[in-house]
Amino acid sequence: MKNKIIIMVLFLVTSSVTFAQIQKHQIGISFAGGMQTLFYKPSIADHKQGLGGMITFDYQYFLQKQWSIGTGIGISSYSAKAIIDESIVETHYDDSNVEDFMFTTTYNDWTEKQNFLQLEIPIAVYFHHKLGNNWNFQCGFGPRIAFPLTNKYKVSGEYYETSGYYESTGVEYKNMPQHGFCVKDANLEGKSDVHIADIQIFTDLGFSYSINSIDLYLGAYCSYGLTNQINNSNTSLFTAEDYSGMLTSSEVNKLHNFAVGAKIGITKKIGSTSAKMNYKE
C-alpha cells in the first residue's frame, strides 16, 4: 500500500512539471528612418530639420525569458539645412585708411545643407512580453556612443555679395576682391570640423511576429545626443578668400543630434537551448 502511494505521488509531481526551452542568444539586423536631424540655432539663418536613416546589427543575451541585455554596431545618417536670404551689416576697421567702415554681406537664397555619418554602439536593457500566438512585444532603453565618420556640407542657391561703405567718401565699394568686396556663387562644398564623440540616450519599442525560427520586427525609435559636438569658434562664416561652413563658424556654438522614426528588422535566436523547470499549480 505504501509503495502504491509513493508511485502516485511521483506521478502527480512529474506530470505537473514542464520544461521551458530558452535560447540565450539573439542576433538581428534592422533598418530605420525618419527625422534624423542636426539640431543647432544659427544666429543669422533659418534652421530646417533634416531626414536620415540607420542600419544596425544587434546582439541580445537573455538573462530570463522576459529580460535581455544587448549591444551592436550601426551607422546612422543625419542632415539639416541653414537658409540665409538677407543682408547683414557689420562695422569693420580699415587699417590702411585708419577708419571704420560698414561691411555688408548680401545673401541671395543661400542654402547650406549638412550631411553627417556616425558609427554608433548601443548598450541597452530590453523587456519582452508574449502577446499570444506568434506575436511579441519588445521595448529597450539605454545609452549609445557615436563616433563621427564624415561631416560634409554643400551650398546651393544663387550667390552672396560683399561690399564696403566708407562714410568719409560716401561711396559703397563693390567688385574689388583685393579688398574683400566680391561676389561668390553658391556652388560650394566642404567638410565641417566636427570630430567630438557623442553620448546619446535612445529607446525603441515595437512588435515582432514569429515565423518558424525567425522574428519579423516593426517598431519606432527615438534618440537624443547629450554632447555638444562642436568647439566654440571665432571664425567668420566667410572671408574674402574662403567660406568656412555654418558649423565651423562663429554662427553656431552648440550642436546636438535628434532622431525619431520607424524601424523594421529581422531577428533569430541562436545557440544552445537551456531547460528551465516550471511547476503547474
Side-chain angles (χ1 to χ4, degrees):
M1 182 66 181
K2 185 182 293 185
N3 291 336
K4 291 182 179 180
I5 294 175
I6 293 173
I7 292 172
M8 291 178 65
V9 170
L10 290 174
F11 175 77
L12 291 173
V13 170
T14 56
S15 64
S16 64
V17 175
T18 61
F19 290 86
Q21 304 296 323
I22 302 175
Q23 287 183 289
K24 291 287 189 178
H25 309 279
Q26 178 178 287
I27 58 173
I29 182 173
S30 62
F31 304 88
M35 185 178 74
Q36 297 206 171
T37 190
L38 302 168
F39 187 73
Y40 58 90
K41 294 181 179 180
S43 58
I44 62 169
D46 293 327
H47 174 260
K48 302 294 183 183
Q49 312 290 358
L51 302 176
M54 174 172 56
I55 178 172
T56 307
F57 297 92
D58 299 302
Y59 168 76
Q60 291 186 39
Y61 177 80
F62 281 80
L63 303 172
Q64 298 177 0
K65 188 175 182 180
Q66 290 185 309
W67 293 96
S68 67
I69 55 176
T71 185
I73 188 169
I75 294 179
S76 292
S77 65
Y78 299 84
S79 67
K81 287 182 180 180
I83 302 173
I84 316 175
D85 197 5
E86 60 180 303
S87 294
I88 299 170
V89 181
E90 301 171 299
T91 300
H92 285 204
Y93 182 75
D94 188 335
D95 292 328
S96 59
N97 294 313
V98 195
E99 65 175 309
D100 291 333
F101 68 97
M102 306 306 294
F103 187 80
T104 301
T105 306
T106 301
Y107 294 89
N108 192 349
D109 192 25
W110 187 270
T111 301
E112 180 187 311
K113 182 177 181 181
Q114 301 92 28
N115 290 287
F116 279 23
L117 279 180
Q118 294 195 142
L119 178 71
E120 299 177 344
I121 301 175
I123 301 173
V125 176
Y126 294 91
F127 171 75
H128 306 261
H129 180 67
K130 189 172 182 60
L131 299 176
N133 295 328
N134 296 325
W135 287 97
N136 296 276
F137 171 76
Q138 172 185 300
C139 64
F141 174 82
R144 184 166 61 196
I145 185 169
F147 302 95
L149 295 177
T150 62
N151 310 306
K152 298 180 179 180
Y153 68 82
K154 186 174 183 179
V155 178
S156 61
E158 296 189 21
Y159 63 89
Y160 79 77
E161 180 180 12
T162 56
S163 61
Y165 175 77
Y166 286 76
E167 188 174 353
S168 60
T169 62
V171 176
E172 184 175 16
Y173 296 93
K174 299 181 179 181
N175 298 320
M176 300 175 65
Q178 69 273 22
H179 296 288
F181 309 137
C182 58
V183 177
K184 284 194 175 183
D185 293 331
N187 297 319
L188 300 172
E189 59 184 52
K191 295 182 179 180
S192 300
D193 187 18
V194 180
H195 304 291
I196 300 175
D198 185 21
I199 300 297
Q200 306 171 348
I201 294 295
F202 81 96
T203 183
D204 62 51
L205 58 88
F207 302 90
S208 62
Y209 183 80
S210 300
I211 302 177
N212 296 325
S213 61
I214 294 177
D215 289 352
L216 304 179
Y217 177 85
L218 175 63
Y221 70 96
C222 181
S223 68
Y224 179 73
L226 303 177
T227 308
N228 180 14
Q229 289 191 271
I230 59 175
N231 296 313
N232 290 335
S233 172
N234 295 322
T235 305
S236 298
L237 180 60
F238 63 90
T239 64
E241 297 81 19
D242 200 9
Y243 178 78
S244 303
M246 185 66 64
L247 300 182
T248 309
S249 73
S250 57
E251 305 301 333
V252 176
N253 55 31
K254 288 185 179 180
L255 173 67
H256 299 269
N257 60 61
F258 174 76
V260 60
K263 182 178 180 181
I264 60 174
I266 300 175
T267 62
K268 179 179 175 62
K269 290 183 173 62
I270 60 173
S272 59
T273 302
S274 63
K276 180 181 178 182
M277 289 191 299
N278 294 323
Y279 291 86
K280 297 179 181 179
E281 297 182 355

